[in-house]
Amino acid sequence: MGGPNENGNSGASDRRRKRLSEKQTMLVQKISDGTVIDHIAAGKALSVLRLLGNPQARGDTVALVMNVSSSKMKRKDIVKVEGVEISEEQVQKLALIAPQASVNIIRSYRVVDKKNAVPPKLLSGVLNCNNPTCVSVKEKDSVSPIFSLAEISPLSYQCKYCGRKLAEQDILSQLG
Amino acid sequence: MECILAREGEQMRRSGWSRRDVINILDFSRSDLESLFELAGKISDRPNSIRRSLNEKIVATAFFEASTRTRLSFTTAALKLGGKVIDLSPEASSVMKGESLPDTVRMLESYSDLIVIRHPSEGAALLASEISESPVINGGDGSQHHPTQAMLDLFTITKLKGHIDGLNYAIVGDTRYARTAASLLYGLSKFKPKKVYLVSPESLQPRIEIKTKIDELGLRTEKLEDLEEIIPEIDVIYLTRIQKERFPDVMEYEKVRGSYEITRNLIVKAKRGSIVLHPLPRTNELPSEVDTLPNAAYMKQAEWGVPMRMAILELVIGGAKG
């Protein structure tokens, strides 16, 4: 029972941040089982929820905390979903919408797994090229679009086939 | 005479050309290119020394876009080297029935030793090279790359000016959609040109990914709208046609149509010994009145397309075990 709480903090070195974070997290009640996604850039919680397939529409309990202060990010959003554990594929996509997000999987009120949403260096079949004459668009039935990470901040990916870049806004509009 | 090509070709194959795809000029080092120019020079200077190194080899040409020089120079090159050529005519093949590009490439690969492909989609040649075990040569993919044209352009400059380094270049016209201009800029980045001017209206300046790439490669370029301002200092004037077929919007094309045309009166102000190049075909940007000036080098450039493509074929599949 000595594991970290659902926000994943465990050390004593950042007690102040922990207290602040817990205070904000307590704006909504703790979840017993499910997923807590913290450190989402402010304003992107709804995009994250869409990425998760709008679990509230399926009747799952969802909590959104938006625009709370954060020592790391100034302002951030938090999403909690009761009874749903995020998949690896969703974590990969989450990294494209909220590159700094941290994901905690909760079971019996304890964090049992912790994942960081790190934008992958290579993306296959996740994003589509927005160049209408790119071969990955023209031959989309037989070619999987492949992108390489061009920049972390602001996030951008470059199409392997035509060299065009997808900017953060393009990525968000495809996934969010 | 015959053994010159055999020896040169063999040495260069060992240096890394053998069975290599030719998709993007940036994949080749300066040394690779200089070796190529040396061999192409020997072929053009001593055409009787040609070894029929493509004997028993079949080259497939698959041009999904119109072509005169690239297709015919590759065909001529293959035939001169003793090879055979099969040609896919998309309009008379299963492409018209909706066959995918990967399936078409798989067929070409099984029928030939090398594929030369031109396609309107950016990345088509790269995709073909991922599918085919046989080497693939990019004869132009959309507005992205035309590596063998850039190799020919640089070879022509070497032949006529003696070197590429230290010269001033003006690339005039459509640097946004002309793949020849993009590939030439990438090719120049392997050398040390003194200055490269990009002469065109703002809307025809290079796309962001081209500009970012050439900046990363350290190629110094300067935007300009009027060639006349700088023509006395330019050594190589490279003209391109406005690529009407690549404009996403006809109205945008109409805005820039005819926005630059050189004239005989302008070229006579050029530096003594300067040359005018054009990948051809030309439209009104290069009137025939320029043809008789000593600077006009574009017909020679087109003619050297054959020895250049012979050198490429010789290095990639000449004598190599398939």
Side-chain angles (χ1 to χ4, degrees):
Chain A
M1 299 298 282
N5 66 19
E6 66 180 33
N7 278 359
N9 297 316
S10 56
S13 60
D14 55 355
R15 283 204 186 88
R16 190 181 155 274
R17 197 169 46 172
K18 184 179 166 185
R19 279 199 303 274
L20 179 66
S21 181
E22 282 183 345
K23 187 179 164 191
Q24 288 161 351
T25 309
M26 292 304 290
L27 286 171
V28 291
Q29 68 183 62
K30 287 185 175 183
I31 59 173
S32 61
D33 299 277
T35 304
V36 175
I37 305 173
D38 199 354
H39 300 111
I40 301 167
K44 290 191 175 166
L46 291 172
S47 297
V48 171
L49 212 53
R50 277 194 290 276
L51 173 73
L52 296 174
N54 287 319
Q56 74 282 7
R58 296 192 302 262
D60 296 319
T61 302
V62 170
L64 292 187
V65 182
M66 298 183 75
N67 221 21
V68 291
S69 60
S70 160
S71 56
K72 187 173 157 190
M73 309 169 65
K74 292 187 182 169
R75 294 276 161 187
K76 68 174 181 178
D77 292 354
I78 303 169
V79 170
K80 294 182 176 190
V81 186
E82 180 83 54
V84 175
E85 292 188 7
I86 190 170
S87 68
E88 285 301 326
E89 189 190 335
Q90 286 172 322
V91 172
Q92 194 183 52
K93 287 183 178 174
L94 176 69
L96 306 177
I97 291 178
Q100 298 183 64
S102 53
V103 178
N104 293 317
I105 305 296
I106 312 294
R107 290 180 196 153
S108 301
Y109 296 101
R110 288 290 155 199
V111 176
V112 296
D113 195 9
K114 203 170 157 58
K115 307 162 198 268
N116 285 318
V118 180
K121 286 186 178 166
L122 268 182
L123 273 179
S124 179
V126 177
L127 298 171
N128 293 313
C129 188
N130 61 6
N131 168 16
T133 56
C134 175
V135 76
S136 71
V137 175
K138 290 286 185 186
E139 298 278 338
K140 64 181 177 209
D141 293 337
S142 47
V143 183
S144 182
I146 298 173
F147 287 83
S148 59
L149 182 63
E151 279 177 73
I152 289 265
S153 185
L155 189 67
S156 70
Y157 275 87
Q158 187 162 30
C159 175
K160 176 187 180 183
Y161 291 104
C162 76
R164 305 281 170 94
K165 285 183 182 170
L166 287 181
E168 199 168 271
Q169 206 49 46
D170 304 317
I171 296 166
L172 203 60
S173 68
Q174 286 194 32
L175 298 176
Chain B
M1 295 283 272
E2 184 174 299
C3 57
I4 289 172
L5 261 185
R7 192 175 60 243
E8 297 284 338
E10 193 51 46
Q11 282 171 358
M12 283 182 243
R13 272 196 297 279
R14 279 202 294 272
S15 73
W17 275 90
S18 181
R19 299 193 59 76
R20 193 166 173 183
D21 298 312
V22 183
I23 305 300
N24 176 354
I25 196 169
L26 285 174
D27 298 335
F28 294 83
S29 67
R30 175 175 178 146
S31 166
D32 291 333
L33 297 174
E34 286 173 339
S35 301
L36 175 71
F37 302 158
E38 195 182 329
L39 183 60
K42 284 182 172 145
I43 294 171
S44 69
D45 293 346
R46 302 166 72 177
N48 293 332
S49 69
I50 296 165
R51 183 174 68 112
R52 293 172 70 79
S53 60
L54 261 59
N55 196 20
E56 306 299 316
K57 297 277 167 59
I58 296 175
V59 170
T61 55
F63 281 65
F64 295 80
E65 270 188 340
S67 169
T68 301
R69 276 150 294 273
T70 306
R71 187 211 293 253
L72 291 181
S73 63
F74 266 115
T75 301
T76 307
L79 295 175
K80 282 191 170 220
L81 290 169
K84 295 180 175 63
V85 179
I86 56 171
D87 180 57
L88 172 89
S89 303
E91 67 280 2
S93 70
S94 290
V95 172
M96 288 303 285
K97 299 176 188 167
E99 185 165 54
S100 71
L101 180 62
D103 281 356
T104 305
V105 170
R106 285 183 193 105
M107 291 305 102
L108 293 170
E109 178 205 8
S110 65
Y111 299 157
S112 66
D113 299 287
L114 178 141
I115 300 167
V116 183
I117 185 170
R118 170 174 287 185
H119 200 280
S121 293
E122 291 84 19
L126 175 61
L127 175 66
S129 72
E130 291 171 345
I131 292 162
S132 172
E133 287 289 322
S134 300
V136 172
I137 294 179
N138 186 359
D141 64 322
S143 57
Q144 191 169 213
H145 298 297
H146 196 343
T148 68
Q149 179 66 46
M151 289 169 184
L152 169 59
D153 300 338
L154 295 171
F155 170 68
T156 304
I157 294 162
T158 306
K159 286 274 281 180
L160 297 178
K161 301 296 297 177
H163 52 92
I164 297 165
D165 295 339
L167 301 179
N168 286 322
Y169 296 80
I171 300 182
V172 186
D174 187 351
T175 56
R176 183 170 183 79
Y177 296 113
R179 56 197 173 204
T180 53
S183 285
L184 179 58
L185 287 167
Y186 296 151
L188 282 171
S189 74
K190 302 283 179 182
F191 295 85
K192 292 177 182 161
K194 190 172 175 188
K195 194 75 180 278
V196 180
Y197 292 97
L198 303 172
V199 186
S200 72
E202 185 63 38
S203 61
L204 291 179
Q205 286 287 324
R207 299 189 304 277
I208 183 72
E209 70 269 18
I210 300 171
K211 186 70 174 73
T212 305
K213 177 56 82 179
I214 58 176
D215 286 349
E216 281 170 10
L217 293 165
L219 186 70
R220 286 178 56 215
T221 59
E222 188 177 320
K223 287 196 291 189
L224 208 68
E225 293 212 9
D226 186 3
L227 177 62
E228 193 162 5
E229 281 178 40
I230 48 153
I231 200 161
E233 64 175 278
I234 298 300
D235 299 290
V236 179
I237 300 162
Y238 188 91
L239 286 156
T240 60
R241 173 179 66 88
I242 296 185
Q243 308 287 301
K244 180 183 179 183
E245 65 277 22
R246 313 240 181 261
F247 276 74
D249 182 347
V250 176
M251 294 301 288
E252 288 302 309
Y253 167 73
E254 290 298 332
K255 282 183 200 165
V256 293
R257 189 166 70 126
S259 58
Y260 64 93
E261 288 172 22
I262 65 160
T263 59
R264 190 179 171 92
N265 286 340
L266 177 61
I267 296 301
V268 294
K269 294 176 189 166
K271 189 175 176 178
R272 188 180 172 84
S274 63
I275 56 174
V276 178
L277 300 179
H278 193 304
L280 304 176
R282 59 176 156 176
T283 50
N284 52 0
E285 72 280 356
L286 178 56
S288 56
E289 64 179 17
V290 179
D291 294 358
T292 51
L293 289 174
N295 326 58
Y298 33 90
M299 291 302 169
K300 201 70 187 158
Q301 176 190 11
E303 182 188 320
W304 284 333
V306 173
M308 169 50 64
R309 268 98 191 195
M310 286 173 73
I312 293 170
L313 292 177
E314 159 68 22
L315 290 174
V316 176
I317 57 165
K321 289 190 172 74

